[in-house]
Amino acid sequence: MVILNWLTAFGKYIMMLKRVFRRPDKMRMFLKRYYTEIYQLGIDSIGIVLVISLFIGAVICIQFKMNIQSSWMPAWVPGYASREIMLLEFSSSIMCLILSGKVGSNIASELGTMRVTQQIDALEIMGVNSANYLILPKITALITIIPILVTFSVAAGIVGAYSIVYIGHIGTIRDLTIGMQYSFHQWFFWMGVIKAMFFAFLITSIASYYGYNVKGGSVEVGKASTNAVVTSSILILVSDTFLTQLLS
Amino acid sequence: MIEIKSINKSFEDKVVLNNIGCTFESGKTNLIIGRSGSGKTVLMNSMVGLIQPDSGEILYDGRNLLNLSKTEMIILRRQMGMLFQGSALFDSMTVLENVMFPLDMFSDESYKERKRRAQFCLDRVNLSDAGDKLPDELSGGMQKRAAIARAIAMQPKYLFCDEPNSGLDPKTSLVIDKLIYEITKENNMTTIVNTHDMNSVMGIGENIVFLYHGSLEWQGNKDEIMTSDNQRLNDFIFASDFSKRLREANE
């Protein structure tokens, strides 16, 4: 029964995506919504991304310096580890997990409210492909803004590491810089960007699916919001495993 | 003109519409009345294509809605306007943007022309100064009028109004009814109003369809309703003491 429900939901999700990925009725209106979504989903998230990344960068550095480093380990390891963790995992996967909470619940509740207040029905009656009009700009907006968020996150993490070394006196800036520059592979950055773009698609499409298909009232909107965050978080973690293996 | 032929609709085992057949004429305000749960909203949603009936035909000037291709359906829907029970205005847009929305989506006119048309619609519903406001800043009656303005922006051939007076005081209800009636006449639209407001029935009911437990029980106009001997219709129309006394006084 559970499997049948999952298959039904997956089928509905695919059917919805089929309606989403159509040519917009009016390109001007699509672009208008696209820019709005860039702002709401992307620019509005920069603050939280910067704050979290700054502190995580600092904490990784502290952990390596204070708790993991030992006599056999070179002094530049905390810098190296901070950079690699930020590049490979935090700024893509973990940041997207955080965004699935912020952006995912926002999308699900927005669309869910539109559904229960018949705004989506109003679009359909006008002859507008509501899935395309409402969801496509969200998906494309987050996918296009996410590389910028990843870059900001990596940069903030590095700034965090430098800040804690400078302020907390837990090492030297020189050692940290050596570590930060040691054995740098540009591909790691692009791997993070590719993963984050995939996760951005998961976050927006899954949250849209739950919000768009709400039936009932405000309680159902709340449930849809929760389900969107839980489902997209699980799928991010599962797909992260496969993507990391695939891209490494 | 919209013709309904033998429409049936069930949700699981529950029959909601049972072999409904009726005609809604152009240039008239057609009312669908009935108790809560009698199938009014399901019938209206079937007519606009939001619900797929199990069987039957819905003919828009001869074209069967249920046999239309996706493209034909989109074209037909652009000839429809709908006023929802809760107004369904887009809350992220101003009132003017709401009214301009269908024009922005489907009209190739210049921005100036689209804005002029939207302002004309707002003027028509006496909301000339509300264009810059958000829907939340309007009263219930104003929201309904704004929704009417949006519904008529594309000059539709068919106007659907689902419970246009719900949540409004009697005086505001009269204003909405009058507006719907006048707009219908001005544009020769086929207007269908879903209601259980007796003032609407007596005020603008040029063609009334009475549903009872999902079946068509009676069809006529507001004059015929007063003299009908259909017991179920009378029980519904003259349910309150006030309307009973009114009928007795009339007799």
Short mmCIF file of all heavy atoms in Angstrom, two decimals, chain A residues 106-168:
data_model
loop_
_atom_site.label_atom_id
_atom_site.label_comp_id
_atom_site.label_asym_id
_atom_site.label_seq_id
_atom_site.Cartn_x
_atom_site.Cartn_y
_atom_site.Cartn_z
N ASN A 106 8.62 27.82 2.14
CA ASN A 106 8.09 29.06 1.57
C ASN A 106 7.27 28.75 0.30
O ASN A 106 6.13 29.20 0.14
CB ASN A 106 9.27 29.98 1.25
CG ASN A 106 8.87 31.25 0.54
OD1 ASN A 106 8.35 31.20 -0.57
ND2 ASN A 106 9.10 32.38 1.16
N ILE A 107 7.85 27.94 -0.58
CA ILE A 107 7.18 27.61 -1.85
C ILE A 107 5.90 26.81 -1.58
O ILE A 107 4.84 27.10 -2.13
CB ILE A 107 8.13 26.81 -2.77
CG1 ILE A 107 9.27 27.70 -3.27
CG2 ILE A 107 7.37 26.22 -3.97
CD1 ILE A 107 10.34 26.96 -4.06
N ALA A 108 6.02 25.77 -0.72
CA ALA A 108 4.86 24.90 -0.48
C ALA A 108 3.71 25.69 0.15
O ALA A 108 2.55 25.53 -0.25
CB ALA A 108 5.26 23.75 0.42
N SER A 109 4.03 26.57 1.10
CA SER A 109 2.94 27.31 1.73
C SER A 109 2.36 28.36 0.80
O SER A 109 1.16 28.60 0.79
CB SER A 109 3.39 27.93 3.06
OG SER A 109 4.54 28.70 2.86
N GLU A 110 3.20 28.96 -0.04
CA GLU A 110 2.69 29.97 -0.99
C GLU A 110 1.73 29.32 -1.99
O GLU A 110 0.60 29.79 -2.18
CB GLU A 110 3.86 30.62 -1.74
CG GLU A 110 3.42 31.69 -2.74
CD GLU A 110 4.52 32.08 -3.72
OE1 GLU A 110 5.70 32.00 -3.35
OE2 GLU A 110 4.17 32.44 -4.86
N LEU A 111 2.17 28.22 -2.59
CA LEU A 111 1.32 27.56 -3.59
C LEU A 111 0.09 26.92 -2.93
O LEU A 111 -1.00 26.93 -3.50
CB LEU A 111 2.11 26.50 -4.36
CG LEU A 111 3.21 27.03 -5.29
CD1 LEU A 111 3.92 25.89 -5.99
CD2 LEU A 111 2.65 27.99 -6.33
N GLY A 112 0.30 26.36 -1.72
CA GLY A 112 -0.82 25.75 -1.01
C GLY A 112 -1.90 26.77 -0.70
O GLY A 112 -3.10 26.51 -0.87
N THR A 113 -1.48 27.94 -0.25
CA THR A 113 -2.45 29.00 0.04
C THR A 113 -3.16 29.45 -1.24
O THR A 113 -4.37 29.68 -1.24
CB THR A 113 -1.74 30.20 0.71
OG1 THR A 113 -1.01 29.72 1.83
CG2 THR A 113 -2.72 31.26 1.15
N MET A 114 -2.40 29.54 -2.32
CA MET A 114 -3.02 29.90 -3.60
C MET A 114 -4.05 28.85 -4.02
O MET A 114 -5.09 29.18 -4.59
CB MET A 114 -1.97 30.04 -4.70
CG MET A 114 -1.12 31.29 -4.56
SD MET A 114 -0.07 31.54 -5.99
CE MET A 114 -1.22 32.23 -7.18
N ARG A 115 -3.75 27.59 -3.72
CA ARG A 115 -4.69 26.52 -4.09
C ARG A 115 -5.97 26.62 -3.26
O ARG A 115 -7.06 26.59 -3.81
CB ARG A 115 -4.01 25.16 -3.87
CG ARG A 115 -4.89 23.95 -4.03
CD ARG A 115 -5.46 23.79 -5.42
NE ARG A 115 -4.50 23.24 -6.36
CZ ARG A 115 -4.71 23.17 -7.69
NH1 ARG A 115 -5.84 23.62 -8.20
NH2 ARG A 115 -3.80 22.68 -8.49
N VAL A 116 -5.83 26.75 -1.93
CA VAL A 116 -7.03 26.74 -1.09
C VAL A 116 -7.85 28.02 -1.23
O VAL A 116 -9.04 28.02 -0.95
CB VAL A 116 -6.73 26.45 0.41
CG1 VAL A 116 -6.09 25.10 0.58
CG2 VAL A 116 -5.88 27.53 1.04
N THR A 117 -7.24 29.10 -1.66
CA THR A 117 -8.01 30.33 -1.88
C THR A 117 -8.45 30.47 -3.35
O THR A 117 -8.87 31.54 -3.77
CB THR A 117 -7.20 31.58 -1.48
OG1 THR A 117 -5.96 31.56 -2.19
CG2 THR A 117 -6.92 31.63 0.01
N GLN A 118 -8.33 29.39 -4.08
CA GLN A 118 -8.82 29.28 -5.47
C GLN A 118 -8.09 30.19 -6.46
O GLN A 118 -8.56 30.41 -7.57
CB GLN A 118 -10.33 29.57 -5.54
CG GLN A 118 -11.18 28.51 -4.83
CD GLN A 118 -12.65 28.74 -5.02
OE1 GLN A 118 -13.17 29.79 -4.64
NE2 GLN A 118 -13.34 27.79 -5.61
N GLN A 119 -6.92 30.72 -6.06
CA GLN A 119 -6.17 31.56 -7.01
C GLN A 119 -5.64 30.73 -8.17
O GLN A 119 -5.56 31.21 -9.30
CB GLN A 119 -5.02 32.25 -6.29
CG GLN A 119 -5.49 33.30 -5.28
CD GLN A 119 -4.33 33.91 -4.50
OE1 GLN A 119 -3.35 34.34 -5.07
NE2 GLN A 119 -4.46 33.95 -3.19
N ILE A 120 -5.30 29.46 -7.88
CA ILE A 120 -4.82 28.58 -8.96
C ILE A 120 -5.98 28.23 -9.89
O ILE A 120 -5.83 28.21 -11.12
CB ILE A 120 -4.15 27.31 -8.38
CG1 ILE A 120 -2.84 27.73 -7.68
CG2 ILE A 120 -3.87 26.28 -9.46
CD1 ILE A 120 -2.08 26.60 -7.01
N ASP A 121 -7.17 27.99 -9.31
CA ASP A 121 -8.36 27.74 -10.14
C ASP A 121 -8.63 28.95 -11.04
O ASP A 121 -9.00 28.80 -12.21
CB ASP A 121 -9.59 27.48 -9.27
CG ASP A 121 -9.52 26.12 -8.58
OD1 ASP A 121 -8.73 25.28 -9.04
OD2 ASP A 121 -10.24 25.91 -7.61
N ALA A 122 -8.45 30.15 -10.47
CA ALA A 122 -8.69 31.37 -11.25
C ALA A 122 -7.76 31.42 -12.46
O ALA A 122 -8.18 31.78 -13.57
CB ALA A 122 -8.50 32.61 -10.37
N LEU A 123 -6.51 31.03 -12.27
CA LEU A 123 -5.55 31.00 -13.39
C LEU A 123 -6.01 30.01 -14.45
O LEU A 123 -5.98 30.30 -15.65
CB LEU A 123 -4.16 30.60 -12.89
CG LEU A 123 -3.36 31.65 -12.13
CD1 LEU A 123 -2.14 31.02 -11.48
CD2 LEU A 123 -2.93 32.78 -13.04
N GLU A 124 -6.44 28.82 -14.00
CA GLU A 124 -6.87 27.79 -14.95
C GLU A 124 -8.08 28.25 -15.75
O GLU A 124 -8.15 28.02 -16.96
CB GLU A 124 -7.21 26.49 -14.19
CG GLU A 124 -6.01 25.77 -13.61
CD GLU A 124 -5.09 25.16 -14.66
OE1 GLU A 124 -5.58 24.80 -15.74
OE2 GLU A 124 -3.88 25.08 -14.40
N ILE A 125 -9.03 28.90 -15.07
CA ILE A 125 -10.24 29.38 -15.76
C ILE A 125 -9.87 30.40 -16.83
O ILE A 125 -10.49 30.47 -17.89
CB ILE A 125 -11.23 30.03 -14.75
CG1 ILE A 125 -11.74 29.00 -13.76
CG2 ILE A 125 -12.39 30.71 -15.45
CD1 ILE A 125 -12.62 27.95 -14.34
N MET A 126 -8.83 31.19 -16.55
CA MET A 126 -8.41 32.20 -17.54
C MET A 126 -7.73 31.56 -18.74
O MET A 126 -7.46 32.22 -19.72
CB MET A 126 -7.41 33.17 -16.90
CG MET A 126 -8.01 34.15 -15.95
SD MET A 126 -6.65 35.09 -15.21
CE MET A 126 -7.44 35.68 -13.74
N GLY A 127 -7.41 30.25 -18.62
CA GLY A 127 -6.72 29.59 -19.72
C GLY A 127 -5.21 29.62 -19.56
O GLY A 127 -4.48 29.37 -20.51
N VAL A 128 -4.77 29.93 -18.33
CA VAL A 128 -3.33 29.97 -18.06
C VAL A 128 -2.88 28.59 -17.58
O VAL A 128 -3.58 27.96 -16.78
CB VAL A 128 -3.01 31.02 -16.96
CG1 VAL A 128 -1.53 31.01 -16.59
CG2 VAL A 128 -3.46 32.40 -17.39
N ASN A 129 -1.76 28.10 -18.09
CA ASN A 129 -1.17 26.87 -17.56
C ASN A 129 -0.56 27.23 -16.21
O ASN A 129 0.57 27.71 -16.12
CB ASN A 129 -0.12 26.34 -18.54
CG ASN A 129 0.60 25.10 -18.02
OD1 ASN A 129 0.49 24.74 -16.86
ND2 ASN A 129 1.33 24.45 -18.91
N SER A 130 -1.33 26.99 -15.14
CA SER A 130 -0.93 27.49 -13.81
C SER A 130 0.38 26.86 -13.34
O SER A 130 1.19 27.53 -12.70
CB SER A 130 -2.05 27.25 -12.80
OG SER A 130 -2.33 25.87 -12.70
N ALA A 131 0.59 25.58 -13.65
CA ALA A 131 1.82 24.91 -13.21
C ALA A 131 3.02 25.58 -13.87
O ALA A 131 4.03 25.86 -13.22
CB ALA A 131 1.76 23.43 -13.56
N ASN A 132 2.89 25.85 -15.15
CA ASN A 132 3.98 26.49 -15.89
C ASN A 132 4.21 27.91 -15.38
O ASN A 132 5.34 28.32 -15.11
CB ASN A 132 3.63 26.48 -17.37
CG ASN A 132 4.61 27.26 -18.22
OD1 ASN A 132 4.49 28.47 -18.34
ND2 ASN A 132 5.58 26.57 -18.78
N TYR A 133 3.12 28.66 -15.21
CA TYR A 133 3.22 30.05 -14.81
C TYR A 133 3.80 30.21 -13.40
O TYR A 133 4.63 31.09 -13.16
CB TYR A 133 1.83 30.71 -14.88
CG TYR A 133 1.80 32.13 -14.36
CD1 TYR A 133 2.33 33.17 -15.11
CD2 TYR A 133 1.26 32.41 -13.11
CE1 TYR A 133 2.32 34.46 -14.63
CE2 TYR A 133 1.25 33.71 -12.62
CZ TYR A 133 1.78 34.73 -13.37
OH TYR A 133 1.78 36.01 -12.89
N LEU A 134 3.40 29.32 -12.49
CA LEU A 134 3.82 29.48 -11.09
C LEU A 134 5.12 28.76 -10.75
O LEU A 134 5.93 29.27 -9.98
CB LEU A 134 2.71 28.97 -10.15
CG LEU A 134 1.40 29.73 -10.15
CD1 LEU A 134 0.34 28.97 -9.37
CD2 LEU A 134 1.57 31.12 -9.56
N ILE A 135 5.31 27.58 -11.33
CA ILE A 135 6.41 26.73 -10.87
C ILE A 135 7.69 26.89 -11.69
O ILE A 135 8.79 26.93 -11.13
CB ILE A 135 5.96 25.24 -10.83
CG1 ILE A 135 4.77 25.09 -9.89
CG2 ILE A 135 7.10 24.32 -10.40
CD1 ILE A 135 4.08 23.74 -9.93
N LEU A 136 7.55 27.02 -13.01
CA LEU A 136 8.76 27.12 -13.84
C LEU A 136 9.69 28.27 -13.42
O LEU A 136 10.90 28.07 -13.31
CB LEU A 136 8.37 27.24 -15.32
CG LEU A 136 9.53 27.19 -16.31
CD1 LEU A 136 10.27 25.85 -16.25
CD2 LEU A 136 9.07 27.44 -17.74
N PRO A 137 9.15 29.47 -13.13
CA PRO A 137 10.05 30.54 -12.70
C PRO A 137 10.78 30.20 -11.39
O PRO A 137 11.94 30.58 -11.20
CB PRO A 137 9.12 31.74 -12.49
CG PRO A 137 7.90 31.44 -13.27
CD PRO A 137 7.76 29.96 -13.25
N LYS A 138 10.11 29.46 -10.50
CA LYS A 138 10.76 29.11 -9.22
C LYS A 138 11.92 28.15 -9.47
O LYS A 138 13.01 28.34 -8.92
CB LYS A 138 9.73 28.44 -8.28
CG LYS A 138 8.65 29.39 -7.78
CD LYS A 138 7.75 28.69 -6.79
CE LYS A 138 6.50 29.49 -6.49
NZ LYS A 138 6.76 30.82 -5.93
N ILE A 139 11.67 27.14 -10.29
CA ILE A 139 12.72 26.14 -10.55
C ILE A 139 13.91 26.81 -11.25
O ILE A 139 15.06 26.66 -10.82
CB ILE A 139 12.16 24.97 -11.41
CG1 ILE A 139 11.12 24.18 -10.61
CG2 ILE A 139 13.29 24.05 -11.87
CD1 ILE A 139 10.43 23.06 -11.38
N THR A 140 13.63 27.54 -12.31
CA THR A 140 14.73 28.15 -13.07
C THR A 140 15.46 29.21 -12.24
O THR A 140 16.69 29.32 -12.32
CB THR A 140 14.21 28.78 -14.37
OG1 THR A 140 13.08 29.60 -14.07
CG2 THR A 140 13.82 27.74 -15.40
N ALA A 141 14.71 29.94 -11.42
CA ALA A 141 15.33 30.99 -10.62
C ALA A 141 16.32 30.40 -9.61
O ALA A 141 17.46 30.85 -9.50
CB ALA A 141 14.28 31.81 -9.89
N LEU A 142 15.89 29.36 -8.88
CA LEU A 142 16.80 28.81 -7.86
C LEU A 142 17.99 28.11 -8.50
O LEU A 142 19.11 28.19 -7.98
CB LEU A 142 16.05 27.86 -6.91
CG LEU A 142 16.83 27.54 -5.62
CD1 LEU A 142 17.11 28.79 -4.80
CD2 LEU A 142 16.12 26.52 -4.75
N ILE A 143 17.73 27.44 -9.64
CA ILE A 143 18.86 26.76 -10.31
C ILE A 143 19.89 27.78 -10.78
O ILE A 143 21.11 27.54 -10.69
CB ILE A 143 18.35 25.89 -11.48
CG1 ILE A 143 17.65 24.63 -10.94
CG2 ILE A 143 19.51 25.46 -12.40
CD1 ILE A 143 17.02 23.75 -12.00
N THR A 144 19.43 28.93 -11.25
CA THR A 144 20.40 29.91 -11.76
C THR A 144 21.08 30.71 -10.65
O THR A 144 22.21 31.16 -10.82
CB THR A 144 19.76 30.89 -12.76
OG1 THR A 144 18.51 31.33 -12.25
CG2 THR A 144 19.56 30.25 -14.12
N ILE A 145 20.41 30.86 -9.51
CA ILE A 145 21.02 31.67 -8.44
C ILE A 145 21.89 30.81 -7.51
O ILE A 145 22.76 31.33 -6.81
CB ILE A 145 19.91 32.41 -7.62
CG1 ILE A 145 20.48 33.55 -6.77
CG2 ILE A 145 19.13 31.49 -6.74
CD1 ILE A 145 20.79 34.80 -7.52
N ILE A 146 21.66 29.49 -7.53
CA ILE A 146 22.36 28.64 -6.56
C ILE A 146 23.90 28.66 -6.72
O ILE A 146 24.61 28.64 -5.70
CB ILE A 146 21.79 27.19 -6.55
CG1 ILE A 146 22.04 26.51 -5.20
CG2 ILE A 146 22.38 26.32 -7.65
CD1 ILE A 146 20.98 26.70 -4.19
N PRO A 147 24.45 28.74 -7.95
CA PRO A 147 25.93 28.82 -8.03
C PRO A 147 26.48 30.04 -7.30
O PRO A 147 27.56 29.97 -6.69
CB PRO A 147 26.19 28.92 -9.54
CG PRO A 147 25.01 28.26 -10.18
CD PRO A 147 23.86 28.62 -9.29
N ILE A 148 25.71 31.12 -7.32
CA ILE A 148 26.15 32.33 -6.61
C ILE A 148 26.11 32.08 -5.09
O ILE A 148 27.04 32.46 -4.37
CB ILE A 148 25.27 33.54 -7.00
CG1 ILE A 148 25.50 33.84 -8.49
CG2 ILE A 148 25.58 34.77 -6.15
CD1 ILE A 148 24.53 34.83 -9.07
N LEU A 149 25.05 31.41 -4.65
CA LEU A 149 24.95 31.11 -3.22
C LEU A 149 26.08 30.17 -2.78
O LEU A 149 26.64 30.33 -1.69
CB LEU A 149 23.58 30.48 -2.90
CG LEU A 149 22.35 31.37 -3.08
CD1 LEU A 149 21.08 30.61 -2.74
CD2 LEU A 149 22.43 32.61 -2.21
N VAL A 150 26.40 29.19 -3.63
CA VAL A 150 27.49 28.26 -3.31
C VAL A 150 28.81 29.04 -3.18
O VAL A 150 29.57 28.86 -2.22
CB VAL A 150 27.62 27.17 -4.41
CG1 VAL A 150 28.91 26.36 -4.22
CG2 VAL A 150 26.42 26.24 -4.38
N THR A 151 29.04 29.94 -4.13
CA THR A 151 30.27 30.74 -4.11
C THR A 151 30.35 31.58 -2.84
O THR A 151 31.39 31.63 -2.17
CB THR A 151 30.32 31.65 -5.36
OG1 THR A 151 30.05 30.85 -6.51
CG2 THR A 151 31.66 32.33 -5.52
N PHE A 152 29.24 32.23 -2.53
CA PHE A 152 29.19 33.06 -1.32
C PHE A 152 29.43 32.22 -0.08
O PHE A 152 30.11 32.64 0.86
CB PHE A 152 27.83 33.76 -1.21
CG PHE A 152 27.71 35.01 -2.05
CD1 PHE A 152 28.53 35.23 -3.14
CD2 PHE A 152 26.75 35.97 -1.76
CE1 PHE A 152 28.42 36.36 -3.92
CE2 PHE A 152 26.63 37.12 -2.53
CZ PHE A 152 27.47 37.31 -3.61
N SER A 153 28.85 31.00 -0.09
CA SER A 153 28.98 30.13 1.07
C SER A 153 30.44 29.72 1.28
O SER A 153 30.96 29.77 2.40
CB SER A 153 28.10 28.90 0.88
OG SER A 153 28.35 27.96 1.87
N VAL A 154 31.10 29.32 0.19
CA VAL A 154 32.51 28.92 0.28
C VAL A 154 33.34 30.10 0.80
O VAL A 154 34.15 29.96 1.73
CB VAL A 154 33.04 28.44 -1.10
CG1 VAL A 154 34.55 28.20 -1.03
CG2 VAL A 154 32.31 27.18 -1.55
N ALA A 155 33.08 31.27 0.19
CA ALA A 155 33.85 32.47 0.58
C ALA A 155 33.62 32.81 2.05
O ALA A 155 34.57 33.08 2.80
CB ALA A 155 33.44 33.64 -0.31
N ALA A 156 32.34 32.71 2.49
CA ALA A 156 32.03 33.04 3.88
C ALA A 156 32.69 32.04 4.82
O ALA A 156 33.18 32.41 5.91
CB ALA A 156 30.52 33.05 4.10
N GLY A 157 32.71 30.76 4.43
CA GLY A 157 33.35 29.73 5.25
C GLY A 157 34.83 30.02 5.43
O GLY A 157 35.38 29.88 6.53
N ILE A 158 35.47 30.42 4.34
CA ILE A 158 36.91 30.73 4.39
C ILE A 158 37.16 31.96 5.26
O ILE A 158 38.07 31.98 6.10
CB ILE A 158 37.46 30.90 2.96
CG1 ILE A 158 37.47 29.54 2.26
CG2 ILE A 158 38.85 31.53 2.96
CD1 ILE A 158 37.72 29.58 0.78
N VAL A 159 36.29 32.95 5.09
CA VAL A 159 36.40 34.16 5.93
C VAL A 159 36.23 33.78 7.40
O VAL A 159 36.95 34.27 8.28
CB VAL A 159 35.35 35.23 5.51
CG1 VAL A 159 35.28 36.37 6.52
CG2 VAL A 159 35.66 35.78 4.12
N GLY A 160 35.28 32.86 7.66
CA GLY A 160 35.05 32.39 9.04
C GLY A 160 36.29 31.75 9.62
O GLY A 160 36.66 31.99 10.78
N ALA A 161 36.94 30.91 8.80
CA ALA A 161 38.16 30.22 9.27
C ALA A 161 39.25 31.24 9.58
O ALA A 161 39.91 31.16 10.64
CB ALA A 161 38.62 29.24 8.20
N TYR A 162 39.45 32.19 8.68
CA TYR A 162 40.47 33.23 8.90
C TYR A 162 40.14 34.04 10.16
O TYR A 162 41.02 34.36 10.96
CB TYR A 162 40.58 34.16 7.69
CG TYR A 162 41.58 33.66 6.67
CD1 TYR A 162 41.15 32.99 5.53
CD2 TYR A 162 42.94 33.86 6.85
CE1 TYR A 162 42.05 32.52 4.59
CE2 TYR A 162 43.86 33.38 5.92
CZ TYR A 162 43.41 32.72 4.79
OH TYR A 162 44.32 32.26 3.89
N SER A 163 38.85 34.36 10.29
CA SER A 163 38.42 35.20 11.42
C SER A 163 38.75 34.53 12.74
O SER A 163 39.27 35.16 13.67
CB SER A 163 36.92 35.48 11.36
OG SER A 163 36.60 36.06 10.14
N ILE A 164 38.44 33.22 12.82
CA ILE A 164 38.63 32.54 14.11
C ILE A 164 40.12 32.37 14.41
O ILE A 164 40.54 32.44 15.58
CB ILE A 164 37.88 31.19 14.16
CG1 ILE A 164 37.66 30.75 15.61
CG2 ILE A 164 38.57 30.09 13.40
CD1 ILE A 164 36.77 31.67 16.40
N VAL A 165 40.92 32.16 13.36
CA VAL A 165 42.36 32.04 13.58
C VAL A 165 42.91 33.37 14.09
O VAL A 165 43.72 33.42 15.02
CB VAL A 165 43.08 31.61 12.27
CG1 VAL A 165 44.58 31.81 12.37
CG2 VAL A 165 42.76 30.15 11.98
N TYR A 166 42.42 34.46 13.49
CA TYR A 166 42.90 35.79 13.86
C TYR A 166 42.39 36.21 15.24
O TYR A 166 43.16 36.63 16.10
CB TYR A 166 42.46 36.80 12.79
CG TYR A 166 42.97 38.20 13.04
CD1 TYR A 166 44.32 38.52 12.84
CD2 TYR A 166 42.11 39.20 13.49
CE1 TYR A 166 44.78 39.80 13.08
CE2 TYR A 166 42.56 40.48 13.73
CZ TYR A 166 43.89 40.78 13.53
OH TYR A 166 44.35 42.04 13.76
N ILE A 167 41.08 36.05 15.43
CA ILE A 167 40.47 36.52 16.68
C ILE A 167 40.77 35.57 17.84
O ILE A 167 41.08 35.98 18.95
CB ILE A 167 38.93 36.69 16.51
CG1 ILE A 167 38.63 37.75 15.46
CG2 ILE A 167 38.25 37.06 17.83
CD1 ILE A 167 37.20 37.75 14.96
N GLY A 168 40.69 34.26 17.57
CA GLY A 168 40.84 33.28 18.65
C GLY A 168 42.27 32.87 18.92
O GLY A 168 42.51 32.09 19.84
#
